[in-house]
Structure formats: structure tokens, C-alpha cells
Amino acid sequence: MSDASTALGVRLYPDLVERGGLAPALIETAARHGLDLGRVTAPAQGRSRFTCAELHSGQGVVCVKLGSQARYFMIDLRVSGEVLARGDVMDLLQVAKVAAAWQSGLTIAELTAQFPFMEEIRHRPAPVAQVG
């Protein structure tokens, strides 16, 4: 059994095993559908090199990870390390479409309207120190 099939699970992600992991599968899917994902990276070593991908653009980073018990893709949209939107979906093409929309400059509000499985993360304001 290959490193990719051990890390990914052949039953859940046979298409990703065939392509050598999540990042190469995203690149191939985007190319097949004419989508611009920006720069795509994966960790250099360990199991996560098959199960994680980051798509870098001027807007920020789209971080994608795999579900381990069922087939789904977890998506975080991050700016300066802060998660602004999050969602999960079962279709790899939808992941590529989210990343391409983010790459093209869609705002979080536009992106969550276009992709209902994505949800904006509302951040609470930092507590104000009270002087007593």
C-alpha cells in the first residue's frame, strides 16, 4: 500500500490516492475546469502532505483538510492567520470553485452568498479592560 493510500484511506478518497494527494487533485480539478486557484502548497512531509492543501492569493489563504470518518472537505478562509469563513462540502470541484472565487476577489459576504455551505465567522470584540 502506498503512503498516499495509507494516509488518505482508499475507500473514502480513491480519486485523491490516484492523484497523489489533496493538493495535486485540486490543481488537476481546477485545470480541468479553467479555475485559477493561486499558488497551491502542501506540507513537505508526514501524513498531512496528502491530506492538507493551502491555496494562497492576495486575499488570503484557503486551507483545506479532509474528513477522516466520512468523505468531506473542510475549508477555512484565513486572512493574517484569522479564520473569516468556514465550511465543508463533499465535492472537490466545489472546493476549487470556492478557492477560485476567493482568488478572484469576492468578499466574504459575496462568497457565503454564492456558496451556502460556507459560513462567515463572527468574531466577538475583545473585552475592554475596566478601570476600577
Side-chain angles (χ1 to χ4, degrees), residues 9-31:
V10 177
R11 287 193 340 259
L12 292 179
Y13 301 101
D15 53 329
L16 303 189
V17 170
E18 184 178 297
R19 290 173 179 86
L22 177 57
L26 273 168
I27 292 166
E28 183 181 314
T29 299

Side-chain angles (χ1 to χ4, degrees), residues 61-83:
V61 179
V62 178
C63 298
V64 184
K65 295 182 180 175
L66 303 178
S68 60
Q69 302 302 314
R71 182 186 171 96
Y72 65 97
F73 303 93
M74 298 171 283
I75 306 165
D76 284 353
L77 300 181
R78 298 180 183 174
V79 174
S80 302
E82 184 177 0
V83 177

Side-chain angles (χ1 to χ4, degrees), residues 77 85 106-120:
L77 300 181
L106 256 62
T107 65
I108 294 291
E110 292 167 332
L111 197 132
T112 55
Q114 185 171 338
F115 300 98
F117 56 86
M118 294 297 296
E119 178 182 7
E120 184 173 358

Side-chain angles (χ1 to χ4, degrees), residues 40-56:
V40 180
T41 64
Q45 53 193 347
R47 179 181 187 276
S48 60
R49 75 182 187 265
F50 303 111
T51 63
C52 300
E54 289 190 346
L55 302 92
H56 306 264

Side-chain angles (χ1 to χ4, degrees), residues 26-37:
L26 273 168
I27 292 166
E28 183 181 314
T29 299
R32 193 171 350 127
H33 294 277
L35 301 171
D36 177 9
L37 301 182

